[in-house]
Amino acid sequence: MSYNNDRTSSASGDDTMQDPSAGALFNVNYKKHEDLKNMLDQNKDSLKLEAMKRIIGMVARGKNASMLFPAVVKNVACKNIEVKKLVYVYLERYAEEQQDLALLSISTFQRGLKDSNQMIRASALRVLSSIRVPIIVPIMLLAIKEGVNDMCPFVRKTAAHAIPKLYSLDSDQKENLIEIIDKMLGDRTTLVAGSVVMAFEEVCPDRIDLIHRHFRKLCSLLVDVDEWGQISIISMLTRYARTQFLNPNEHENVNDDDDEDKPFYDEDDDEEDEDSDEEKAKNKRPKYIMDPDHRMLLKSTRSLLQSRNAAVVMAVSQLYYHVAPKSEFNTVVKGLIRLLRGRREVQFIVLQNIASISLKRKSVFGPYLKSFYVRSTDPTHVRVLKLEVLTNLATESNIAVILREFQTYVRSSDKQFVAHTIQAIARCATNITEVTDTCLSGLVNLLSNRDESVVAESVVVIKKLLQMNPSQHCDIIKEMSKLLDQIQVPMARASILWLIGEYCEIVPKLAPDVLRKAAKQFTSQEEIVKLQIINLAAKLYLTNSKQTKLITQYVLQLAKYDQNYDIRDRARFIRHLIMPAGESGDVGNFRKSAKKILLAAKPAPVLESQFKGRDVYQIGSLSHALNTEVSGYHPLPDFPVEKPDPSVRNVEVPKVVDIEPAKIAGRKSSSKKSKKKAKSSFYSDEDEESEEEEEEEEVEDESEEESEEESDEESDDDDDDEEDEDSSETEGPDSRISESDVGVTSPKQLTMSQNSEKTSDEEEESSEEEDSSEEETSSSEEEESSEEEEVVVVSKKKKKEKKQQEVNLLDLDDFMGGSPAYTAPPIPVVNLLTPTITSDLAGLSFGGSSANSTGGGDGTNATASSGMMSFVQTTGMNLKQESFPLLHRVTGEGLEVKYKFVREVFKPNDKMVAVELEFINNHTNPIREISIGDKKLHGGLVVHDFQEIEILEPEESVTAIMGVDFADTTQSLAFELRTKTRKFNVSIKPPVGELVIPWSVPQTEFLKSKASLAGMNENKSKLKMSANECTMKEIAERVYQVANLCRVPSTENNIHRFAGKTAHNSSPLLVTFVMTSLENGEGELSVNCDKMVIGSIIFKQLKDKLGS
């Protein structure tokens, strides 16, 4: 039988496994996993899927599957999603090992980055970053940049994980990666936040300036981040706090245990003097005021002490230890004690950190002393650490309890644990002088123990304790000398010999006899014992040379020829030191010098904890656990001497300047005086009187009450402007946010713009204030009754709905036209045009006249709104507004609130979106003082509050309009809705389509902008509609239902274009719908926007809307 490993020429063409009986049992060159390779080469996805499952199972079990890499990588372009996922999982494992083969599939990985499935995109990015070849660094960098802008948080998280990989591959890309990290730090998605901070810690941990703007956001998101992300963020924020906040413990006592010792040292005579001295010292210290952001950090992490992850609790504990005031460290103690019930590994690390902390802050763990008692199930390493903690916590008040516990531990069968217990007793004896004698007597009793190791350890410990006061313990030295014949442990024998030699003058008769016995056994002793026998002989020769001279010479002669060179050298040194050869004078001098050297007084040893000095390392770190600085450890910086500027954590927000004070409709007033005061800032006194007279003559009692309500709102809105300016200065956003953090809701529809635009147009065209009321009346009389019913939605009583239609048109102008803060710019008069002509002209720029008539402002917004309204008006579209519940009447205790987005320009700030709130009182009692309370303004949110509603009567409904700048993101606006007696937490979620404002632009400029937004900024797809739905009106109506856009005039009848801009950044959003076949209803939809998230979401909504 042949066992040759070399393949024969005849078998070179046969790759199959040979029969073991043919002699190929140990042949390692046969082809393995042939069945899996054949399955992967098949065309059936089911076979490929089964093969990949088996391969991934091999990888999971730790088996080597790298030989299948060529067969697997061929399936990376498989169309089956399940197969592709498993292929990517395999490639993530072996791409770094098989780099050459992986490079051949880079084009496939790049295509995978644009796959519709988020798992495929993330896996492709992960595999691409696992190929450690410098030549693909630019490709990796581009892939990371694309992943950062992905709308899926999981892909962005994967991009953050790829940043450290790229940095380790090419550190020259640091600046580019820092820019990416700076952008990703603004991502508000909790799934991404922890990964970005990890990348920050790896690439640029010293760039604290990048954290300033995101500090408050990270604190607020900390609770919702995944557990390992919380650890990274807390660690980073700990170092940040050490550089940006003052030391809260700078002016406190260094010794934390002073308070514990006071009850034992206070005396009646000295109490008053000590108290007065302490008060004077406290008065001299500067008062420490904690920074609000410092307090925010501590408050946001406190709840994490309840985390199920021990590492998170440990991270919070180290944060409080290094950053918080010492008085607040008590809050984390219970969390640390809770961890002692976990696994052994967790107990070991936690006890290590508690041992370090208890050296300086023993008082905080005092109430939990029983938690550190040793259990029978504890392993030895945990027992030793618990002994360490108990010894650190020992004080005069609890030493009796601890020693009683130690007495039980000494009887344990674990010899190592008993030895550490004896050492712990010795430490208690040295640290607390009151119990030194008690501990020493207990240790002496252990000398009669049957276990030799216990006796030996006791001897070593007693030797250290006797050095504190040897003259009082002569009997103990004599007792220990008797044990020399019994004890065989080298360290214990050496300790007894050292004690007798050091204090030979106390036992002058016993010492020579001990030397005699030791000399007999010199050759059979261990090295450490031989050295102590030499020292004992030398000391006795200097103190009692008559009795020990011959024995000393005998011992030195034996040591002279010992096998160990240390013993030989020591013997030669001692011989020439105590027995010098020479003249008598020199011998006397040498003898005196020898006594000073060998018989010098030795200080008593200080028994210290092995954890002393470990506090130089950060608590909870690997360096602290190993007591040495490991690679990658970043030392904690010292606290600053002077307080850094806290304004660096404020994000500047442009001040909201109101052109005219906002007017909120729907509030009642008890008198007409407020009406005169409110209008005095806009109109002359004569106009006020004339308008009031006209209203009294033309309107009934009900309409007169409503006009009084409107005047109240005008007066109250002046105060609202001041409040808004204050809020814009103090409540700025914490940080930028990711555009990908989106949640799509149904869009809102266009309402009330037509009447408000007409009224605003007539007011602005007037050259004198005296003629304003006349022009308002004439313009209002031209409106139709159907428009009156649509406008009268502000401040009406349900009981008087039928009488509402009788309100004079002048009052309606006061309702809408008198509220310049919420009216759109004027509309070009296009009622005379036919719908066909209007459809061709819709979207043309009429901005010149509009801008001039308003006397300034944003012409783009003005013309956009004009073009939009003119088209809707002439085509006869009826776009319904959709209201959303903000506060349910049950939750609001009778107060019901709804909100909807009105598509009109918000004049105080054109970057804001106008949101109309409708308040309904379903309670039997009136509701008073309705207003906005605290707001959570994160990520660039800016809010213009509505004016406080003083009273809302039962069964009455009131509407108010507020402005919100969502910063081109769909993050929710969370705020408090307050009444006089209650507070309600509510939130407003904007649809993506409402973040866009119409943009009136010519066709040439539209095409130019579209050309610049190609590539990744373009979403395109084919659609199919029914033939009767392919009209311009039907298409435009569906587009307007999705987004607030404006139709652009087109020279081709089969191409429909719509344009808009995002409200905050004015980023163009261009929609093009091309009818390729009118008979079959086939068309092509494309959406271009540099805000890829907004563009992709609106594209998806339009695709569903037009294709439905």
Side-chain angles (χ1 to χ4, degrees):
M1 182 179 290
S2 174
Y3 296 98
N4 187 12
N5 289 336
D6 297 330
R7 311 190 66 169
T8 62
S9 58
S10 61
S12 59
D14 186 11
D15 293 333
T16 60
M17 179 179 175
Q18 299 180 9
D19 186 3
S21 63
L25 182 62
F26 302 104
N27 192 336
V28 296
N29 293 322
Y30 62 84
K31 198 168 185 180
K32 294 182 179 180
H33 311 302
E34 185 67 23
D35 57 337
L36 293 176
K37 294 179 181 179
N38 292 333
M39 292 172 69
L40 290 173
D41 291 336
Q42 298 296 324
N43 295 327
K44 293 183 178 180
D45 291 340
S46 59
L47 293 176
K48 292 183 178 181
L49 182 60
E50 179 64 25
M52 287 308 305
K53 287 181 178 179
R54 289 170 57 183
I55 294 172
I56 297 301
M58 292 170 53
V59 175
R61 292 192 298 271
K63 295 184 178 180
N64 184 16
S66 59
M67 72 290 296
L68 294 170
F69 193 91
V72 174
V73 76
K74 289 188 298 185
N75 293 278
V76 72
C78 181
K79 295 182 179 180
N80 188 288
I81 297 297
E82 297 301 323
V83 175
K84 185 178 289 188
K85 287 181 182 179
L86 295 179
V87 169
Y88 275 118
V89 171
Y90 176 87
L91 294 178
E92 291 167 16
R93 170 63 179 83
Y94 291 106
E96 191 167 352
E97 298 179 9
Q98 305 282 345
Q99 296 179 0
D100 295 337
L101 292 176
L103 283 174
L104 300 177
S105 303
I106 280 188
S107 59
T108 306
F109 301 150
Q110 289 179 295
R111 288 196 299 269
L113 295 174
K114 298 182 179 180
D115 195 275
S116 59
N117 189 296
Q118 60 185 17
M119 298 299 297
I120 299 299
R121 296 199 303 272
S123 299
L125 179 57
R126 189 179 293 112
V127 173
L128 194 61
S129 61
S130 300
I131 303 176
R132 313 288 295 169
V133 180
I135 196 173
I136 67 167
V137 166
I139 299 176
M140 290 176 60
L141 182 62
L142 182 61
I144 291 175
K145 289 182 178 179
E146 292 179 0
V148 167
N149 295 322
D150 197 278
M151 64 183 296
C152 175
F154 182 72
V155 180
R156 300 200 301 274
K157 179 184 181 72
T158 306
H161 289 166
I163 291 175
K165 297 180 182 179
L166 179 57
Y167 178 70
S168 63
L169 184 61
D170 185 6
S171 58
D172 295 337
Q173 300 293 332
K174 182 175 182 179
E175 294 301 324
N176 294 329
L177 296 178
I178 290 177
E179 293 180 4
I180 297 174
I181 291 173
D182 186 24
K183 180 179 180 181
M184 295 194 72
L185 282 171
D187 199 322
R188 289 195 58 85
T189 309
T190 55
L191 187 65
V192 182
S195 302
V196 177
V197 173
M198 289 181 187
F200 171 83
E201 291 283 84
E202 289 289 334
V203 178
C204 51
D206 55 335
R207 288 292 304 272
I208 297 296
D209 56 296
L210 300 179
I211 307 298
H212 291 321
R213 293 174 296 137
H214 312 291
F215 173 81
R216 295 169 184 163
K217 182 205 70 172
L218 290 174
C219 290
S220 61
L221 292 181
L222 192 56
V223 178
D224 299 320
V225 177
D226 62 279
E227 294 172 344
W228 300 112
Q230 289 173 347
I231 299 169
S232 298
I233 294 176
I234 293 173
S235 178
M236 184 271 294
L237 291 180
T238 301
R239 291 192 298 105
Y240 180 87
R242 294 275 292 200
T243 60
Q244 300 300 316
F245 305 132
L246 295 178
N247 186 359
N249 305 310
E250 183 178 3
H251 304 294
E252 294 186 6
N253 293 331
V254 178
N255 188 2
D256 297 337
D257 303 328
D258 290 346
D259 296 338
E260 299 177 5
D261 298 337
K262 283 182 180 179
F264 299 94
Y265 295 100
D266 58 351
E267 297 180 1
D268 297 338
D269 300 337
D270 299 334
E271 273 186 357
E272 296 181 359
D273 296 339
E274 290 177 358
D275 294 342
S276 61
D277 293 340
E278 289 180 2
E279 291 178 359
K280 291 179 181 179
K282 289 182 180 179
N283 294 333
K284 291 181 181 179
R285 298 173 188 166
K287 186 177 181 181
Y288 171 75
I289 301 177
M290 181 175 286
D291 189 284
D293 290 329
H294 193 174
R295 173 59 60 191
M296 178 184 183
L297 172 61
L298 299 177
K299 186 177 180 181
S300 61
T301 55
R302 186 177 303 164
S303 60
L304 297 181
L305 292 171
Q306 307 296 327
S307 175
R308 62 181 179 180
N309 192 314
V312 175
V313 179
M314 197 66 248
V316 177
S317 302
Q318 64 86 21
L319 171 70
Y320 271 76
Y321 180 77
H322 293 294
V323 175
K326 293 179 180 178
S327 58
E328 298 186 15
F329 186 74
N330 295 327
T331 57
V332 306
V333 174
K334 288 185 178 180
L336 290 174
I337 298 300
R338 177 173 62 87
L339 298 182
L340 296 180
R341 303 169 188 168
R343 299 187 303 274
R344 296 178 177 182
E345 298 81 2
V346 175
Q347 292 183 44
F348 179 75
I349 297 299
V350 173
L351 285 170
Q352 273 193 331
N353 291 279
I354 292 178
S356 291
I357 297 172
S358 60
L359 286 174
K360 291 190 174 181
R361 303 184 182 181
K362 63 175 64 177
S363 59
V364 295
F365 293 102
Y368 307 97
L369 193 65
K370 292 184 179 180
S371 299
F372 303 105
Y373 286 176
V374 175
R375 297 184 177 89
S376 59
T377 57
D378 290 337
T380 302
H381 60 277
V382 173
R383 293 183 177 188
V384 172
L385 286 174
K386 285 188 174 182
L387 282 175
E388 186 73 28
V389 175
L390 288 173
T391 308
N392 293 342
L393 299 180
T395 59
E396 296 176 3
S397 58
N398 60 18
I399 187 61
V401 178
I402 293 177
L403 287 178
R404 194 179 304 116
E405 189 73 14
F406 286 172
Q407 188 176 357
T408 305
Y409 300 161
V410 171
R411 303 188 186 98
S412 173
S413 59
D414 188 346
K415 306 306 177 187
Q416 183 182 357
F417 175 53
V418 172
H420 282 88
T421 303
I422 295 173
Q423 295 175 11
I425 294 174
R427 279 186 55 199
C428 293
T430 56
N431 295 336
I432 304 174
T433 57
E434 286 79 0
V435 297
T436 302
D437 295 337
T438 304
C439 294
L440 192 56
S441 62
L443 293 172
V444 170
N445 292 332
L446 292 177
L447 296 177
S448 59
N449 195 292
R450 295 179 180 179
D451 192 340
E452 184 181 353
S453 60
V454 175
V455 177
E457 190 66 34
S458 302
V459 169
V460 175
V461 169
I462 291 173
K463 168 235 175 182
K464 297 178 181 179
L465 293 179
L466 288 179
Q467 290 182 254
M468 301 175 64
N469 197 353
S471 59
Q472 297 181 3
H473 305 290
C474 178
D475 296 337
I476 296 177
I477 298 176
K478 293 179 181 180
E479 186 68 25
M480 292 177 64
S481 64
K482 297 178 182 178
L483 299 173
L484 194 60
D485 296 334
Q486 303 174 8
I487 299 176
Q488 299 300 324
V489 178
M491 189 63 189
R493 292 177 63 85
S495 299
I496 295 175
L497 292 172
W498 184 91
L499 273 175
I500 296 174
E502 185 68 21
Y503 306 111
C504 59
E505 297 178 352
I506 300 177
V507 286
K509 297 180 180 180
L510 186 63
D513 192 50
V514 172
L515 177 61
R516 179 182 59 82
K517 291 182 178 181
K520 289 181 179 181
Q521 303 173 354
F522 181 84
T523 56
S524 62
Q525 299 297 318
E526 295 290 335
E527 295 175 5
I528 188 173
V529 180
K530 290 180 180 180
L531 291 174
Q532 292 303 326
I533 293 175
I534 295 173
N535 290 338
L536 174 61
K539 293 176 182 179
L540 290 177
Y541 178 80
L542 294 175
T543 57
N544 189 3
S545 60
K546 293 181 180 181
Q547 293 183 353
T548 59
K549 181 177 181 179
L550 294 177
I551 300 177
T552 302
Q553 290 177 349
Y554 173 73
V555 171
L556 294 178
Q557 193 68 16
L558 290 175
K560 182 178 180 180
Y561 299 102
D562 194 88
Q563 294 181 355
N564 189 285
Y565 58 83
D566 287 336
I567 297 175
R568 296 198 301 267
D569 292 345
R570 177 68 65 89
R572 294 189 184 98
F573 168 73
I574 294 295
R575 179 185 293 276
H576 290 86
L577 182 64
I578 63 176
M579 301 177 182
E583 298 180 0
S584 59
D586 296 336
V587 173
N589 294 332
F590 264 95
R591 197 175 184 84
K592 293 179 181 179
S593 300
K595 285 186 177 182
K596 291 181 180 179
I597 294 173
L598 297 176
L599 299 178
K602 278 79 173 178
V606 179
L607 302 179
E608 294 180 342
S609 171
Q610 60 176 328
F611 289 92
K612 185 175 182 180
R614 287 200 187 188
D615 55 349
V616 296
Y617 302 111
Q618 185 174 353
I619 296 295
S621 63
L622 179 60
S623 296
H624 177 270
L626 300 178
N627 197 23
T628 184
E629 185 171 333
V630 298
S631 177
Y633 173 74
H634 301 291
L636 280 178
D638 296 328
F639 283 102
V641 179
E642 296 182 358
K643 183 178 181 180
D645 184 13
S647 63
V648 295
R649 290 181 291 277
N650 297 332
V651 180
E652 294 184 1
V653 181
K655 294 183 179 180
V656 180
V657 180
D658 293 345
I659 300 174
E660 299 180 38
K663 176 180 180 181
I664 308 298
R667 295 190 54 240
K668 280 193 171 185
S669 175
S670 58
S671 64
K672 297 181 181 179
K673 295 181 181 180
S674 60
K675 177 178 181 179
K676 296 180 180 179
K677 184 181 295 185
K679 293 188 177 181
S680 62
S681 59
F682 302 103
Y683 308 100
S684 62
D685 296 337
E686 297 177 0
D687 294 334
E688 294 173 11
E689 295 175 0
S690 62
E691 289 176 359
E692 290 179 3
E693 292 174 1
E694 292 176 0
E695 291 171 0
E696 291 174 358
E697 293 174 358
E698 296 176 356
V699 185
E700 300 295 335
D701 294 339
E702 297 174 4
S703 62
E704 185 175 2
E705 289 178 0
E706 294 177 1
S707 64
E708 291 174 3
E709 293 171 10
E710 299 158 17
S711 63
D712 274 345
E713 290 164 8
E714 291 181 46
S715 63
D716 292 337
D717 193 61
D718 295 335
D719 300 333
D720 181 56
D721 296 338
E722 299 176 3
E723 294 175 2
D724 183 75
E725 292 179 4
D726 294 339
S727 64
S728 66
E729 295 176 3
T730 59
E731 296 188 69
D734 291 343
S735 63
R736 297 181 297 107
I737 75 162
S738 169
E739 300 169 356
S740 306
D741 187 12
V742 294
V744 181
T745 57
S746 43
K748 312 310 181 284
Q749 307 299 338
L750 180 66
T751 58
M752 301 199 319
S753 299
Q754 185 174 352
N755 293 314
S756 61
E757 289 174 354
K758 285 190 176 185
T759 308
S760 174
D761 180 50
E762 290 166 350
E763 287 180 2
E764 291 170 351
E765 287 179 352
S766 61
S767 58
E768 297 180 3
E769 294 179 351
E770 297 178 357
D771 301 333
S772 62
S773 61
E774 298 176 0
E775 294 181 8
E776 291 172 6
T777 305
S778 63
S779 64
S780 300
E781 290 174 353
E782 295 175 0
E783 298 176 347
E784 298 176 0
S785 60
S786 62
E787 297 173 348
E788 295 175 15
E789 295 175 1
E790 184 179 355
V791 173
V792 184
V793 293
V794 184
S795 182
K796 63 180 180 179
K797 292 184 178 181
K798 293 184 177 179
K799 297 179 178 180
K800 303 179 179 181
E801 290 180 352
K802 294 182 179 180
K803 298 181 179 180
Q804 184 66 37
Q805 299 180 8
E806 301 177 3
V807 176
N808 194 311
L809 294 180
L810 181 60
D811 288 315
L812 297 179
D813 290 334
D814 289 339
F815 262 75
M816 303 303 296
S819 178
Y822 304 110
T823 56
I827 312 167
V829 181
V830 293
N831 289 338
L832 299 179
L833 300 178
T834 63
T836 305
I837 299 176
T838 305
S839 63
D840 293 334
L841 297 180
L844 289 177
S845 176
F846 300 97
S849 60
S850 301
N852 296 336
S853 63
T854 55
D858 190 352
T860 301
N861 291 344
T863 56
S865 182
S866 303
M868 174 69 180
M869 285 306 303
S870 62
F871 179 79
V872 174
Q873 179 183 11
T874 54
T875 54
M877 294 183 187
N878 184 19
L879 300 181
K880 298 180 180 179
Q881 284 182 301
E882 184 176 359
S883 296
F884 298 89
L886 183 65
L887 181 64
H888 194 270
R889 61 182 181 181
V890 176
T891 308
E893 298 181 357
L895 177 62
E896 181 181 1
V897 184
K898 302 178 181 179
Y899 72 92
K900 58 185 176 181
F901 291 83
V902 289
R903 295 182 176 179
E904 56 186 34
V905 177
F906 190 75
K907 273 195 174 181
N909 189 342
D910 56 2
K911 293 185 178 181
M912 290 187 174
V913 179
V915 182
E916 182 181 275
L917 304 179
E918 181 181 6
F919 301 88
I920 304 173
N921 186 1
N922 297 304
H923 203 274
T924 56
N925 299 325
I927 302 175
R928 302 178 183 275
E929 300 179 8
I930 304 175
S931 62
I932 292 181
D934 296 336
K935 300 181 286 290
K936 296 182 180 179
L937 301 180
H938 302 302
L941 280 178
V942 182
V943 179
H944 190 289
D945 298 356
F946 65 84
Q947 184 66 30
E948 177 183 315
I949 300 176
E950 291 183 358
I951 185 172
L952 183 62
E953 297 293 344
E955 298 186 4
E956 183 183 17
S957 65
V958 175
T959 59
I961 298 182
M962 61 185 294
V964 185
D965 181 5
F966 289 99
D968 290 350
T969 60
T970 56
Q971 58 178 327
S972 299
L973 168 64
F975 60 94
E976 279 187 354
L977 194 61
R978 294 182 176 178
T979 64
K980 187 175 182 180
T981 58
R982 289 297 307 275
K983 296 179 181 179
F984 307 100
N985 292 321
V986 296
S987 62
I988 295 177
K989 186 78 172 180
V992 179
E994 300 302 333
L995 303 177
V996 184
I997 59 175
W999 179 31
S1000 180
V1001 59
Q1003 178 177 324
T1004 55
E1005 187 174 349
F1006 179 94
L1007 297 176
K1008 183 178 179 181
S1009 300
K1010 182 178 179 180
S1012 64
L1013 296 174
M1016 295 183 62
N1017 296 319
E1018 184 176 35
N1019 295 275
K1020 186 181 295 185
S1021 177
K1022 293 183 179 180
L1023 297 177
K1024 189 169 183 179
M1025 305 172 60
S1026 59
N1028 57 350
E1029 294 177 348
C1030 297
T1031 62
M1032 180 271 299
K1033 176 182 177 181
E1034 186 68 25
I1035 294 173
E1037 183 174 357
R1038 296 190 182 187
V1039 171
Y1040 296 149
Q1041 290 175 359
V1042 173
N1044 188 14
L1045 302 175
C1046 176
R1047 186 171 183 270
V1048 177
S1050 175
T1051 56
E1052 298 91 353
N1053 294 331
N1054 64 325
I1055 300 179
H1056 307 280
R1057 300 184 177 93
F1058 302 88
K1061 288 188 175 182
T1062 59
H1064 182 77
N1065 292 323
S1066 298
S1067 300
L1069 175 67
L1070 310 178
V1071 177
T1072 307
F1073 184 74
V1074 181
M1075 290 298 305
T1076 56
S1077 175
L1078 185 61
E1079 295 80 7
N1080 299 328
E1082 296 178 351
E1084 186 178 70
L1085 173 68
S1086 63
V1087 177
N1088 301 73
C1089 184
D1090 60 351
K1091 301 287 186 182
M1092 290 186 289
V1093 176
I1094 294 179
S1096 60
I1097 294 177
I1098 290 183
F1099 170 75
K1100 185 177 182 301
Q1101 293 178 353
L1102 286 174
K1103 183 178 177 181
D1104 296 340
K1105 199 73 175 177
L1106 294 173
S1108 60

